Structures are given as C-alpha cells and as structure tokens.
Amino acid sequence: MGQVESNQSSAPNNSQSRPSDSLDALIAEAAAFGDDENESLDAKAQKALECPCIAHLRSGPCGTQFSEAFVCFLKSSAEEKGSDCVHPFVALQNCIKANPNAFSKDILDDDDEVKKEEEPTQEYKIIPPIWAAEKGPKQKL
Amino acid sequence: MEEEICRDLPLVLSSFVDTFVDFSVSGLFLPQSSNPNPNPNPNPNSSSDTDPLPSSPKLATRYPAPDRLIAVGDLHGDLQKSKEALRLAALIDASDRWTGRTATVVQIGDVLDRGGDELKILYFLEKLKREAEKSGGTIITMNGNHEIMNVDGDFRFVTQAGLDEFRVWADWFCIGNAMKSLCDGLEKPKDPFFGIPLKFLGVKEELYHSIRCRIAALRPEGPISVRFLSQNQTVVVVGDSVFVHGGLLPKHVFYGLERINEEVRDWINGLKGRFSPGYLRGKHSMVWLRKFSHELAQNCDCSTLEHVLATIPGAKRMIMGHTIQETGINGACGNRAIRIDVGMSKGCINGLPEVLEIIGNSELRVLTSNPSYRDRLEADRKGGLGLLLPEHGPRQVEVKA
C-alpha cells in the first residue's frame, strides 16, 4: 500500500488530550458502577472473541492483531470510538501491509463463482488526467 | 447473554471495520454523528435492510441568518491551506478541533482536483461537521464544477498525488470488505469495481488501476460520492446571501433551487444515470458561470445579477467561488457580487488564505492572512488598482494565520 497512510500512525493522538477522558471522570465512573463494570466489559469482550462471526478473522497471519484491535474497539469509551486504540490499529495496519492477503482467501474462492457475471462492461468512458496520455505530449485542452 | 453478544456482533464488526478503514485512509477517528447519515459507509448490500439508499434527510436550501457566517472559497486538494483558512476565522484550534461554536460555515465547492489531499479534506470536513453539530454550529459543503466533473468521470485536472490517494483508499476499502465478508452474519459487500473497464485507451498502462480506483470511489453511487458528495448542496440561501459555485441565472431560479439540490443529490446517489444534469454543464451552468466573477468588475453582468437576486425573496447578494481573484476576496456590482475564490491551493496560485465573514445582518469583512491588505486598500483609494478592486470591496481585517 502506498505512502499516504504511512505517516499517520502518529497523527491522531488527540484522544489523550480530551477533557472528558480526564482521570476524574474515570474515577467517578468507576465509583458509580463499581469494578464489576470493567470486569464485565472485559468478560464481554472475551466472550465476543468466541463468536463464530469473527472466527475466520482471528485465524490467519493477522489474527492476533485483529483480536487486539477489535477488543480495544469494543472496550473503547472515547467519544470518537476507537481513538484510544491507535496502537493496536497501527499494528493491524502493519500486519496487513506485510500480508496483503491476510483476510482475502475465502473471498477469492467465492469470487470464482461470480466472476462471469461481473465481467466489466467496456463502455465506461472517462476523460483521463491531461498528463496521463500514453505516448508523447498531447495537445493542451 | 453469550448468544446476545454473538447476535449483535456482525453489526459491531461492521462498525469496527469502518472505523479501521477510515483511520487507515484519513488518520482520523470521526465522532459519532448525532444526525447520522443513514448510509455512513455505503455498502448497499450489507447489513442495512432498514435503510434503502437515498431517501436520506432532505437537503436544506434555505437557512435563517446565523449570528456569524464564514464563507470559504475553493480548496482544491490542499489540506494545509484549508486548515489555515478555517483557523483565520478561529473555527478550529491548534489541534484542529471545532472552536467555532454556533457559527455557520459555507464551503463553496471545489475540494477536488489540482492537489493530493482531496480525501483528507473530505474526511476533515466531515469530522468538523460532526463536531460543529454538537456545539450548535453548521458546516455547509457545496458542489463545485470539479465535484461534478469527477462524478461524471472527467479527470482532466486530477494530479498524480490525487490518483495515489484514491488508490490507497481503494486498497483499504477492499480490505475492509474482505474482512466483513468473512463474517457469515454480514451480507457480502458489493464489489466497488463492478462494471469498470480494466484498461483505458490512450492512457499509460501503469495508471489503469489508480484510475479504476478513482472511478469506483466517485462515480454515481460510488462509496465516496454517496458518503460525502451526496451531502453537498448546489445552491443555498443563508440569510440574505445566495451561495453558488459559479453563479445563478434566471432560468436556474425558475427551475427551482430546492429541485436542483434534490436532483443533484439523487444523481450522485446513483438514481439518475451516469451523467450530470444539464444545468451543471457548460459555461452558462451554475457551477461554471463567470458572468459575475470576472476579475474586471466592468465585465460583470450587473443587470442580470440584479434580476436574479430580485427573483429570490430576501436575497441581497450572490457569493461565488470558481474564478480566482488574484487581488483577494472582493465585491462587484455594488457588493451584490462577492467573489471568494482566492486560489489558495498550491495547485492553483498558492494564494494567501482569506475568508469572508458576515456578522448577523451587518457588514461584510474579509479575514485575511495577507499583511499587505492595507496596501491593497490604499491603492484602491488612490484609484491605482481601481479596476481590480472595484468599489468598496468588503472591509479587510488582518488576522494572524
């Protein structure tokens, strides 16, 4: 994958600076609900990992990274849900970059059946970028 | 309870994947929308049996005058300049969060083309929209001719960096789809490349894939079109100001402003065929017109403008982008035409950011990062640049960028 996302791992660390995430708020929350709440959140997340929906996602070369990112997302209470999961998200990104087909095996299998009807039509005309002409400089528009 | 967790998990997975894809493409985590676009990451086939595509909330065409209104011109793929422009008006803080409180912002269109941060700007404006909403502010984004061209498949002004950004988007989008399709509880996502040719005559072969990605994203019903561009208005009336990218002619008003907004939205959502409606094409169309934005004020058709404004109840002025004003934001026809495209993008003339501010119903001001604005006014007074800075262009106020 290209360069565009490569410098982004450091960008969204604003989750730490949000006032609503302050320690006070967390303590107040813990006091209100007791430790059970956190425990049950953990337990819930662990149970979710056993669900059949994500069985395939947990196997394969990026299964571990997926599980960590997913559990973090489940437990995220940030206003921008997941914004406190930058590290596991970046780990999952990196794993996918290193294993571009990490999640695509089953899909490719499925695709064989539908390929025929998905044959692209060749009638979709576009006007390409001015600089994209195949050979020689093209006349200006 | 375990069953319950697993029953809900496909939807949770779907939202996880969308969040992950958004983060990978834009580096951003979007706040939850309190007024959710019913189709946030459009996968027409997935999970959403409840929301058929585009009977989305009606696009507003008329807004009451806000306490504070800021108008931002053409952005053309330059995220840095876009942020500078918003910062001039104190709409965002140093960490890019909305600080504009209840202000209304109108972005006049042309986010696309000529630069490489097109998706990043779309995402950033989406994030700000949601933040603004929470504090009672409003961000109105509009269609310019370059949005229309790209949905039409006219990529003449696309840059290499622009193609790259969409290629990266497509990579992550497809990975997201692959992840979703591994969960049996989710329907198989639609292939975003369906029906797109594998090659393009006369185009360098190494660009085929990137061009396919851009078509997939931006064609009618494309995931980026539906998610971002279908929210855009093509014309709005805010208080006593009419906003349109190029300009309005009497025939457009006669056709119906609400009707135009709805039709364009429907076209972008894939309900009206491949190509844009006629009133968006050609030099007399709403997004291409330059009759009221010619840099030489004497070449502006003030009498037509008067006529158009007279047919829109309460309208005192038309505010337009599209035509670069090298001298900065200015007015013509007795300030009935306000021209706000300062060509700020590096892909244009790398102009100094300026935005227009209207407080209540009082006077118009230009917020500028240009320290030489005094010279401009001075020259104007002496008549030296009188032709370029006609009449009493809006008052300039220098603001630290």
Side-chain angles (χ1 to χ4, degrees), chain B residues 281-298:
Chain B
R281 296 149 153 271
K283 65 177 186 172
H284 295 299
S285 71
M286 303 166 61
V287 292
W288 283 93
L289 198 75
R290 299 190 200 272
K291 256 181 194 300
F292 315 129
S293 59
H294 198 286
E295 279 201 280
L296 294 178
Q298 67 201 21

Side-chain angles (χ1 to χ4, degrees), chain A residues 1 5 8 12 18 51 53 73-74 79-80 82 93 96 107 120-121 124-127 129-132 134 141, chain B residues 6 12 15 23-24 27 29 97 153 155-156 158 160 168 171 175 178 181 183 195-196 202 204 207 219 274:
Chain A
M1 255 141 286
E5 77 280 11
Q8 280 161 356
R18 289 213 352 276
C51 295
C53 158
F73 179 79
L74 285 179
E79 195 181 351
E80 292 94 358
Q93 271 182 355
I96 292 172
I107 297 147
T121 62
Y124 205 93
K125 291 254 163 46
I126 55 133
I127 308 180
I130 292 169
W131 46 271
E134 197 168 19
L141 279 153
Chain B
C6 288
V12 177
S15 122
F23 169 69
S24 301
F29 289 92
R97 287 184 174 265
F155 295 158
R156 272 177 292 171
V158 172
Q160 177 68 59
V168 171
D171 281 345
I175 285 164
S181 60
C183 170
I196 300 176
K204 288 180 197 150
L207 298 175
R219 63 178 166 173
R274 215 202 119 178

Side-chain angles (χ1 to χ4, degrees), chain B residues 368 370-381 396 398:
Chain B
T368 178
N370 187 352
S372 67
Y373 76 94
R374 282 182 214 91
D375 304 342
R376 279 164 51 182
L377 286 187
E378 193 58 29
D380 193 19
R381 238 173 265 129
Q396 263 94 24
E398 186 187 355

Side-chain angles (χ1 to χ4, degrees), chain B residues 296-311:
Chain B
L296 294 178
Q298 67 201 21
N299 291 350
C300 289
D301 185 348
C302 296
S303 65
T304 302
L305 179 66
E306 287 298 330
H307 177 65
V308 174
L309 290 173
T311 59

